[in-house]
Amino acid sequence: MAFLPDESRSLPPPPLLNKGSVWLGFMGWLSALLDNAFNQRPVFRSGVHRQILFATLGCVVGYHLVKRTEYVYAKVDREMFEYMRHHPVDFHSA
């Protein structure tokens, strides 16, 4: 992916059906339905190919956004644990 560095390849991939992909897939489908309604076409029966396209695009974008989010969280965790390893005095156990 263009917006993820190569070091993100070491992370396990997120599941295909995750919160982001399902939500954005639903929003894509809903945007196709709203486009039909605003243009005074039958909401569900018109432009089924666009409904499928928008839902698929939403799922793909949601999947990659979740993948990027997991990479950013992993990077923050790695930096935090590295800091804790170099400063053990600040993190003594009770």
Side-chain angles (χ1 to χ4, degrees):
M1 195 73 206
F3 59 94
L4 283 176
D6 289 335
E7 67 184 9
S8 69
R9 294 177 193 252
S10 65
L11 293 173
L16 286 177
L17 287 177
N18 56 49
K19 187 177 173 181
S21 66
V22 170
W23 178 250
L24 286 179
F26 176 71
M27 288 292 113
W29 178 65
L30 190 63
S31 66
L33 295 181
L34 286 173
D35 181 54
N36 286 342
F38 289 144
N39 291 317
Q40 297 180 351
R41 294 187 293 247
V43 176
F44 290 104
R45 292 180 294 150
S46 179
V48 175
H49 61 285
R50 282 186 298 113
Q51 294 177 29
I52 293 170
L53 174 69
F54 286 7
T56 303
L57 286 175
C59 285
V60 169
V61 169
Y63 174 80
H64 286 291
L65 286 177
V66 167
K67 191 173 181 180
R68 170 133 177 100
T69 303
E70 287 184 359
Y71 164 71
V72 169
Y73 287 153
K75 183 178 170 186
V76 168
D77 286 347
R78 184 185 66 211
E79 291 170 356
M80 179 184 63
F81 287 127
E82 189 68 21
Y83 180 83
M84 289 171 66
R85 191 171 65 83
H86 283 103
H87 299 90
V89 176
D90 296 336
F91 301 99
H92 62 284
S93 60

